[in-house]
Amino acid sequence: MKKLTLLATAAIFGAMAMSAQAADKLTLQLKWVTQAQFAGYYVAKDKGFYKDADLEVTIKPGGPDVAPSQVIAGGGADVVIDWMPAALATREKGVPLVNISQVFAKSGMMLTCRKDMGVKTANDFKGKTLGVWFFGNEYPFLSWMDTLGFSTSGSNPDITVLKQGFNVDPILQKQAACVSTMTYNEYWQVLDAGLTPEELTVFKYEEQGVATLEDGLYVMEDSLKDDAMVDKLSRFVAASLKGWEYAVANPDEAADIVLENDATGAQTEKHQRRMMREIAKLVGTNKVGRLDEAAYQRTVDILMSGKSDVVIAKKPEGAYTQMIWERAQN
């Protein structure tokens, strides 16, 4: 009897070991630091959605010195989160990124401007200094300025472009009339610093007709030629989208989970809960995570319409697939 018990115990531990071995490892590179912008992935991990999908997912925070496209090209991640303008520009330069799911259906990008520096309409940009993020984030801005007919380069540009750091100091210190902000992050930092909404003019890219797609999931093209990897990516997308649906339905809990995963300790409960509520407005409500092909085409058209600053010169081919999202529904 004792021998049978030992054998049964060994069988149980063996099964557990096999189960542990069965979990497929996958590394996700975030576009930025740990914050509610990426809540769905942290929720999926915390709630066991990845584990239920037989996945062991490592989430790598980003930062000012981290370029997701370079990370995945160098083999440092299986999936990266990036904005479509940057991803398409990178693809045209020879790094074949493919969008496999588009979590954010709307853009959160804005220009936030001081009225006391003379900016009340877009026509007031001329002659002003505007703060712009680079490292791929500048493409929607450059396309917008082209649409307005304002030059941003050359010996006598209409707009002086200030390469903005990842803070809002230029507008607080009046070094720039406007700075780049996100609806869910930097705009609130401006308010927290003392400026009021009445003192500001805000231009949302969505309302200007120049919004391009932001946070999406990208892989290298070769990944989609491997059946085992396709299966793994499908499970990852399914579990991630489950995480996002949970985060949107439970914003405070999601923000708290993000805070628990913030190794820097720099984030605050107030800011992350506020951010999560704004992020929820960007996540699609219909077929969450499925790329809207009309929005994709709009993004391409905007990027190719540049006159002085060309973002992409050729119409992309093979830059996205719906296959992974569709398999994730099964």
Side-chain angles (χ1 to χ4, degrees):
M1 185 66 181
K2 184 177 180 181
K3 184 176 181 180
L4 288 174
T5 301
L6 290 173
L7 288 172
T9 301
I12 291 171
F13 279 108
M16 292 174 62
M18 288 179 65
S19 176
Q21 291 172 357
D24 292 318
K25 295 184 177 180
L26 185 144
T27 299
L28 170 67
Q29 174 65 60
L30 305 183
K31 182 174 175 61
W32 192 238
V33 299
T34 298
Q35 58 182 11
Q37 178 183 358
F38 312 108
Y41 311 105
Y42 285 111
V43 167
K45 187 166 186 175
D46 183 82
K47 292 294 180 183
F49 300 157
Y50 289 139
K51 185 178 180 182
D52 292 344
D54 291 327
L55 292 172
E56 181 182 339
V57 175
T58 298
I59 302 175
K60 297 171 68 174
D65 300 322
V66 177
S69 60
Q70 292 179 10
V71 173
I72 196 170
D78 301 297
V79 185
V80 296
I81 298 170
D82 211 341
W83 290 6
M84 185 164 283
L88 292 180
T90 301
R91 182 178 175 84
E92 189 166 283
K93 292 175 182 174
V95 179
L97 295 178
V98 179
N99 180 299
I100 60 170
S101 181
Q102 184 61 41
V103 176
F104 284 14
K106 296 179 181 178
S107 166
M109 198 167 182
M110 309 189 297
L111 268 186
T112 297
C113 308
R114 296 183 70 125
K115 290 180 180 176
D116 64 1
M117 293 186 72
V119 181
K120 295 182 180 178
T121 73
N123 290 331
D124 297 325
F125 291 159
K126 189 171 183 179
K128 302 293 193 304
T129 297
L130 309 184
V132 181
W133 292 316
F134 276 69
F135 300 104
N137 301 326
E138 72 275 28
Y139 299 132
F141 170 82
L142 295 175
S143 295
W144 183 19
M145 293 303 109
D146 269 330
T147 301
L148 294 173
F150 292 149
S151 62
T152 57
S153 58
S155 59
N156 187 29
D158 296 319
I159 306 290
T160 299
V161 174
L162 172 69
K163 288 188 177 180
Q164 182 182 335
F166 293 97
N167 58 55
V168 295
D169 289 350
I171 193 170
L172 300 178
Q173 299 169 1
K174 293 190 173 182
Q175 297 167 344
C178 308
V179 292
S180 298
T181 59
M182 302 304 292
T183 56
Y184 51 81
N185 196 4
E186 292 80 9
Y187 174 71
W188 299 98
Q189 294 174 17
V190 173
L191 298 186
D192 287 344
L195 290 171
T196 67
E198 293 74 24
E199 294 174 309
L200 301 170
T201 305
V202 170
F203 301 90
K204 292 184 177 181
Y205 280 53
E206 283 282 352
E207 295 173 355
Q208 302 303 315
V210 291
T212 54
L213 289 170
E214 293 168 1
D215 292 33
L217 296 173
Y218 292 84
V219 300
M220 295 291 279
E221 197 168 274
D222 282 350
S223 298
L224 301 172
K225 299 175 183 175
D226 181 339
D227 290 342
M229 190 61 180
V230 166
D231 175 64
K232 187 162 65 170
L233 291 171
S234 301
R235 285 183 278 132
F236 169 72
V237 168
S240 297
L241 297 181
K242 188 176 180 181
W244 273 112
E245 289 173 352
Y246 189 96
V248 170
N250 303 275
D252 287 350
E253 183 183 353
D256 291 346
I257 290 171
V258 170
L259 286 168
E260 291 169 4
N261 284 277
D262 173 30
T264 69
Q267 307 291 359
T268 66
E269 179 181 288
K270 175 187 176 184
H271 190 55
Q272 291 307 303
R273 289 191 171 192
R274 190 168 53 190
M275 180 184 293
M276 185 60 233
R277 288 191 175 83
E278 292 296 325
I279 287 293
K281 299 174 185 175
L282 306 181
V283 177
T285 56
N286 181 34
K287 297 183 177 179
V288 176
R290 188 180 193 279
L291 176 68
D292 178 348
E293 295 180 12
Y296 166 81
Q297 190 57 53
R298 182 192 68 215
T299 298
V300 170
D301 290 344
I302 289 173
L303 299 180
M304 294 189 70
S305 66
K307 297 173 184 174
S308 58
D309 296 286
V310 176
V311 180
I312 55 174
K314 298 180 293 185
K315 183 179 179 181
E317 294 186 4
Y320 73 88
T321 177
Q322 305 283 23
M323 172 186 65
I324 299 297
W325 184 88
E326 289 169 357
R327 289 186 58 155
Q329 309 309 304
N330 299 324

Short mmCIF file of all heavy atoms in Angstrom, two decimals, residues 3 9 34 65 77 87 91 95 117 186 205 207 216 220 240 271 300-301 318 322:
data_model
loop_
_atom_site.label_atom_id
_atom_site.label_comp_id
_atom_site.label_asym_id
_atom_site.label_seq_id
_atom_site.Cartn_x
_atom_site.Cartn_y
_atom_site.Cartn_z
N LYS A 3 3.84 1.44 -1.05
CA LYS A 3 4.52 1.56 -2.34
C LYS A 3 3.61 2.21 -3.38
O LYS A 3 4.02 3.06 -4.17
CB LYS A 3 4.97 0.18 -2.82
CG LYS A 3 5.78 0.21 -4.11
CD LYS A 3 6.26 -1.17 -4.45
CE LYS A 3 7.10 -1.14 -5.74
NZ LYS A 3 7.58 -2.49 -6.09
N THR A 9 2.07 9.42 -5.67
CA THR A 9 2.63 10.74 -5.40
C THR A 9 3.64 11.14 -6.47
O THR A 9 3.66 12.27 -6.97
CB THR A 9 3.32 10.74 -4.03
OG1 THR A 9 2.36 10.38 -3.04
CG2 THR A 9 3.89 12.12 -3.71
N THR A 34 6.54 50.92 -16.90
CA THR A 34 5.36 50.27 -16.32
C THR A 34 4.36 51.33 -15.88
O THR A 34 4.65 52.17 -15.01
CB THR A 34 5.78 49.42 -15.11
OG1 THR A 34 6.68 48.40 -15.55
CG2 THR A 34 4.56 48.78 -14.45
N ASP A 65 15.47 55.02 -23.36
CA ASP A 65 16.57 54.47 -24.14
C ASP A 65 16.21 53.14 -24.79
O ASP A 65 17.10 52.44 -25.31
CB ASP A 65 17.80 54.28 -23.24
CG ASP A 65 18.28 55.58 -22.63
OD1 ASP A 65 18.24 56.61 -23.35
OD2 ASP A 65 18.68 55.58 -21.44
N ALA A 77 13.00 40.15 -27.69
CA ALA A 77 11.58 40.00 -27.38
C ALA A 77 10.91 39.24 -28.52
O ALA A 77 11.40 39.23 -29.65
CB ALA A 77 10.90 41.36 -27.18
N ALA A 87 6.26 51.73 -36.51
CA ALA A 87 6.40 50.35 -36.99
C ALA A 87 6.50 50.31 -38.51
O ALA A 87 7.31 49.57 -39.08
CB ALA A 87 5.22 49.51 -36.50
N ARG A 91 9.58 49.17 -40.73
CA ARG A 91 9.44 48.10 -41.73
C ARG A 91 10.03 48.54 -43.07
O ARG A 91 10.71 47.77 -43.73
CB ARG A 91 7.95 47.75 -41.89
CG ARG A 91 7.70 46.62 -42.87
CD ARG A 91 6.22 46.26 -42.97
NE ARG A 91 5.99 45.26 -44.00
CZ ARG A 91 6.12 43.96 -43.83
NH1 ARG A 91 6.43 43.50 -42.64
NH2 ARG A 91 5.94 43.11 -44.81
N VAL A 95 13.27 46.30 -41.25
CA VAL A 95 12.93 45.43 -40.11
C VAL A 95 11.46 45.05 -40.29
O VAL A 95 10.57 45.86 -40.06
CB VAL A 95 13.13 46.15 -38.76
CG1 VAL A 95 12.74 45.22 -37.60
CG2 VAL A 95 14.57 46.61 -38.62
N MET A 117 0.68 82.31 -24.45
CA MET A 117 1.77 82.39 -25.42
C MET A 117 1.20 82.50 -26.84
O MET A 117 1.92 82.28 -27.82
CB MET A 117 2.71 81.20 -25.28
CG MET A 117 3.48 81.22 -23.95
SD MET A 117 4.74 79.92 -23.80
CE MET A 117 5.99 80.49 -24.95
N GLU A 186 0.65 62.98 -19.76
CA GLU A 186 1.31 64.26 -19.57
C GLU A 186 0.33 65.43 -19.38
O GLU A 186 0.66 66.41 -18.72
CB GLU A 186 2.25 64.55 -20.75
CG GLU A 186 3.47 63.63 -20.80
CD GLU A 186 3.15 62.28 -21.41
OE1 GLU A 186 2.03 62.11 -21.94
OE2 GLU A 186 4.01 61.38 -21.37
N TYR A 205 -5.31 64.89 -31.70
CA TYR A 205 -5.05 64.43 -33.06
C TYR A 205 -6.30 63.79 -33.66
O TYR A 205 -6.55 63.90 -34.87
CB TYR A 205 -3.88 63.43 -33.05
CG TYR A 205 -2.52 64.10 -33.00
CD1 TYR A 205 -2.21 65.02 -32.01
CD2 TYR A 205 -1.54 63.79 -33.93
CE1 TYR A 205 -0.96 65.64 -31.95
CE2 TYR A 205 -0.29 64.40 -33.89
CZ TYR A 205 -0.01 65.33 -32.90
OH TYR A 205 1.22 65.93 -32.86
N GLU A 207 -9.34 64.71 -33.27
CA GLU A 207 -10.27 65.75 -33.72
C GLU A 207 -9.71 66.55 -34.89
O GLU A 207 -10.44 67.26 -35.57
CB GLU A 207 -10.59 66.68 -32.54
CG GLU A 207 -11.34 65.96 -31.41
CD GLU A 207 -11.49 66.82 -30.17
OE1 GLU A 207 -10.93 67.94 -30.14
OE2 GLU A 207 -12.16 66.36 -29.23
N GLY A 216 -0.11 48.92 -30.57
CA GLY A 216 -0.47 47.66 -31.20
C GLY A 216 0.59 46.62 -30.90
O GLY A 216 1.68 46.95 -30.41
N MET A 220 8.02 39.87 -35.56
CA MET A 220 8.81 39.79 -36.78
C MET A 220 8.10 38.85 -37.77
O MET A 220 7.48 37.86 -37.38
CB MET A 220 10.21 39.27 -36.47
CG MET A 220 11.04 40.21 -35.61
SD MET A 220 11.52 41.73 -36.46
CE MET A 220 12.94 41.13 -37.39
N SER A 240 -4.16 38.16 -23.52
CA SER A 240 -3.93 39.61 -23.35
C SER A 240 -5.24 40.38 -23.49
O SER A 240 -5.52 41.30 -22.71
CB SER A 240 -2.92 40.10 -24.37
OG SER A 240 -1.66 39.49 -24.19
N HIS A 271 -2.40 58.96 -9.96
CA HIS A 271 -2.12 59.11 -11.39
C HIS A 271 -2.47 57.85 -12.17
O HIS A 271 -3.01 57.92 -13.27
CB HIS A 271 -0.65 59.47 -11.58
CG HIS A 271 -0.33 59.89 -13.00
ND1 HIS A 271 -0.99 60.89 -13.66
CD2 HIS A 271 0.59 59.40 -13.88
CE1 HIS A 271 -0.49 61.03 -14.89
NE2 HIS A 271 0.46 60.12 -15.04
N VAL A 300 -1.85 54.98 -43.02
CA VAL A 300 -0.93 54.91 -44.16
C VAL A 300 -1.05 56.18 -45.01
O VAL A 300 -0.04 56.78 -45.41
CB VAL A 300 -1.22 53.66 -45.01
CG1 VAL A 300 -0.44 53.72 -46.33
CG2 VAL A 300 -0.85 52.40 -44.24
N ASP A 301 -2.29 56.59 -45.28
CA ASP A 301 -2.49 57.78 -46.12
C ASP A 301 -1.87 59.03 -45.50
O ASP A 301 -1.26 59.85 -46.19
CB ASP A 301 -3.99 58.01 -46.33
CG ASP A 301 -4.62 56.94 -47.22
OD1 ASP A 301 -3.87 56.22 -47.90
OD2 ASP A 301 -5.86 56.81 -47.20
N GLY A 318 1.90 43.56 -46.49
CA GLY A 318 2.17 42.53 -45.48
C GLY A 318 2.47 43.09 -44.11
O GLY A 318 3.06 42.41 -43.27
N GLN A 322 -4.65 39.56 -39.84
CA GLN A 322 -5.77 39.33 -38.92
C GLN A 322 -5.77 37.87 -38.45
O GLN A 322 -6.59 37.49 -37.62
CB GLN A 322 -7.10 39.63 -39.64
CG GLN A 322 -7.21 41.01 -40.26
CD GLN A 322 -7.47 42.12 -39.25
OE1 GLN A 322 -7.18 41.99 -38.06
NE2 GLN A 322 -8.03 43.23 -39.73
#
